[in-house]
Amino acid sequence: MPTRPRAACWWLGWLMVGLVVLAPLRAGATNGMNLIGYGAVSCGMGGADLALVDNATAMNINPAGLSGCCQPEISAGLSLMQSRNHHADSHGNDLLAREQQFPLPLLAWASPLPDSAFIVGCGIFAQGGMGLEYHHFRTPFADRAPLPREHDSLSSNLSYMKITPTLAWRRSDDRLRLGISLNLGYAEADMRLFPATSLYLPASAACTEVGFFGVKMKDARAYSAALRLGFQYRWGDFTLAGAYLSATDQHFRGGRAQVNYNAIGAGLRGYEAELDGFNWPQQIGLGCSYQVSPALRLALDVDWINWSQAIDRIRFSLHRNQADEVPQRIRMNYPMHWNDQWVIALGLEYRLSSRWRLRGGYNYGKSPVPSRYLLPYFPAIAEQHLTAGLGYAAGRWRLDLACEWALPHAQASHNSLYCHHGFKEEMSQFTTHLLLHYRP
């Protein structure tokens, strides 16, 4: 018969599994499509975590840090993210995206092997993504031809979660720690590109042929695998650490799409959909921490994220088996050409007492999205983040809280796909984090 604390821990674990499986994992962007950190400890320090992480969440940050789990540990966390997105253009749009809160759960377990220097663990993490919804968006076609309705919806949803079986090792003097984790990923993608709009203007002496048929797609799924490697090495009060994450190729299949052919009298037609080009990048990070005094620790991380190889050109393919007056196959290419990103994270932790810890941090990464290829429904443009956190320990339990603010950032574009005279996107974001640890 389990004790009450252990029973409570198991109930918490099952609750988090349910949240991971059932929650919509759409999220706003932070460092591109990545979150700045994972768990309230990491996020409370601005994501400066490579040299400091020593709990079960390490498997999604620096797997070497899992060696800090000297006894079995379970960590359960939940982050609530709320983005504010604003779009303005010369077609009469000056609107905010629909306000939404996105739950981002995590559940992680770790345990040292008996009479061994090895530690094993496994976790489920909401890795990141991007999504927003604009309603009553005046389409760029409304200025070119009379339409039954000038306003329509524009939305995207790209979400990514993963399971991370992990193995870590520590030297007998605990100065050197090594770790490796397998990242098994699952992603979903949905989008709505003016689905109620249908336009066709045949060629004439005054203009060339113009056509646009609105599309909506849902339930496209992708599976992937990657490796994460990490180390931590301590010299007295100084710790040096690094981590590498391999690139992930994601091929979305099984999507269901609908194309609006009302302008040519063919109504709504269904297609099978495939999406390629939304990949997760390789990433290399180097970090350090210094124990300034018994109460104060400082941390610095520098990460390179290879977005230029991960998101270059999006390929959207539709196909149907039935042959009739509408095309059986449609292929669309969207140039993205993201830039690589350098991210700098600074963090501090101050021990107020044996039970209380105070944290703060700053994170900066220049937007990887070139202005020329910015899309209104995929504005991953956040750059600066301020964070603060608080930790409390009591017996076998530890509770960590953090808040994270992505400062407002605007970016202008002349991408003629969505506005012939330029537009501007602005985004900010506020996220709260809760993380609960239990050591039986």
Side-chain angles (χ1 to χ4, degrees):
M1 188 74 174
T3 63
R4 287 186 179 180
R6 185 167 298 183
C9 183
W10 281 110
W11 276 111
L12 175 64
W14 283 112
L15 174 63
M16 294 308 299
V17 169
L19 280 172
V20 169
V21 172
L22 299 175
L25 298 181
R26 178 170 39 175
T30 49
N31 294 146
M33 293 194 299
N34 283 336
L35 305 177
I36 68 167
Y38 298 91
V41 178
S42 169
C43 293
M45 299 186 65
D49 46 20
L50 291 174
L52 289 180
V53 63
D54 59 358
N55 56 61
T57 64
M59 60 190 77
N60 200 38
I61 300 169
N62 180 355
L66 201 69
S67 297
C69 298
C70 300
Q71 60 190 67
E73 176 179 313
I74 185 169
S75 297
L78 182 65
S79 300
L80 289 176
M81 178 181 292
Q82 183 171 353
S83 295
R84 183 185 184 277
N85 295 88
H86 177 260
H87 172 90
D89 62 39
S90 57
H91 294 297
N93 289 304
D94 187 0
L95 69 163
L96 293 172
R98 177 185 166 211
E99 289 189 6
Q100 300 177 85
Q101 285 192 336
F102 306 114
L104 303 170
L106 71 84
L107 179 65
W109 164 85
S111 179
L113 297 177
D115 304 317
S116 171
F118 290 95
I119 297 88
V120 295
C122 191
I124 307 174
F125 296 86
Q127 176 70 19
M130 182 69 200
L132 53 74
E133 293 183 21
Y134 282 116
H135 296 296
H136 206 65
F137 192 109
R138 189 170 188 270
T139 71
F141 318 106
D143 292 337
R144 304 187 66 179
L147 296 172
R149 53 184 291 181
E150 294 188 346
H151 297 82
D152 206 341
S153 60
L154 186 66
S155 68
S156 66
N157 173 13
L158 179 66
S159 57
Y160 180 35
M161 63 172 291
K162 60 186 181 181
I163 299 174
T164 56
T166 303
L167 177 67
W169 171 87
R170 62 171 175 260
R171 207 166 70 180
S172 57
D173 61 4
D174 203 26
R175 292 182 63 182
L176 176 64
R177 298 175 175 181
L178 303 174
I180 180 172
S181 67
L182 177 62
N183 288 216
L184 302 174
Y186 169 77
E188 290 185 350
D190 303 328
M191 65 175 63
R192 297 170 65 90
L193 307 178
F194 306 130
T197 300
S198 187
L199 171 67
Y200 178 70
L201 298 175
S204 66
C207 66
T208 58
E209 182 182 61
V210 177
F212 176 86
F213 306 106
V215 180
K216 63 179 178 181
M217 182 201 71
K218 62 180 180 179
D219 299 334
R221 299 178 174 90
Y223 301 89
S224 58
L227 280 177
R228 189 186 296 269
L229 309 173
F231 79 91
Q232 292 177 338
Y233 191 83
R234 294 193 300 173
W235 290 277
D237 293 328
F238 180 82
T239 301
L240 179 68
Y244 169 76
L245 175 65
S246 64
T248 300
D249 292 329
Q250 298 187 135
H251 305 286
F252 291 86
R253 300 293 182 264
R256 293 177 294 156
Q258 188 178 81
V259 180
N260 186 345
Y261 289 113
N262 282 329
I264 58 173
L268 304 176
R269 299 299 177 96
Y271 287 82
E272 295 180 17
E274 299 178 359
L275 183 65
D276 292 290
F278 273 120
N279 303 310
W280 235 263
Q282 68 172 332
Q283 180 173 343
I284 301 172
L286 192 65
C288 62
S289 70
Y290 183 66
Q291 191 78 43
V292 178
S293 69
L296 179 62
R297 288 197 298 180
L298 302 178
L300 167 68
D301 283 5
V302 177
D303 288 274
W304 174 74
I305 307 176
N306 189 203
W307 290 115
S308 64
Q309 295 298 313
I311 301 183
D312 181 55
R313 182 176 293 274
I314 306 304
R315 295 172 297 279
F316 186 38
S317 302
L318 305 178
H319 53 88
R320 64 197 309 263
N321 295 324
Q322 184 176 354
D324 49 26
E325 71 271 27
V326 300
Q328 284 186 276
R329 292 185 176 274
I330 302 173
R331 291 184 175 89
M332 293 173 279
N333 290 324
Y334 293 92
M336 301 287 278
H337 303 315
W338 280 24
N339 299 316
D340 292 340
Q341 187 179 44
W342 287 94
V343 178
I344 299 174
L346 301 169
L348 64 86
E349 180 181 74
Y350 187 80
R351 180 174 295 183
L352 300 171
S353 68
S354 59
R355 292 191 173 187
W356 290 95
R357 298 186 182 190
L358 185 66
R359 304 182 181 99
Y362 172 77
N363 182 290
Y364 175 78
K366 182 177 174 56
S367 166
V369 185
S371 293
R372 181 179 177 184
Y373 301 107
L374 178 64
L375 298 175
Y377 58 92
F378 211 82
I381 61 174
E383 292 192 346
Q384 299 187 77
H385 301 77
L386 296 176
T387 69
L390 187 67
Y392 177 77
R396 298 177 178 181
W397 296 87
R398 194 176 87 201
L399 175 66
D400 292 295
L401 303 172
C403 59
E404 170 193 333
W405 184 30
L407 303 182
H409 178 68
Q411 195 165 325
S413 176
H414 289 275
N415 188 340
S416 60
L417 282 172
Y418 291 93
C419 182
H420 299 290
H421 308 289
F423 63 91
K424 185 175 75 171
E425 300 296 325
E426 182 179 11
M427 79 163 294
S428 60
Q429 189 169 274
F430 189 79
T431 308
T432 55
H433 306 271
L434 180 149
L435 185 62
L436 188 62
H437 309 267
Y438 176 70
R439 294 182 173 178

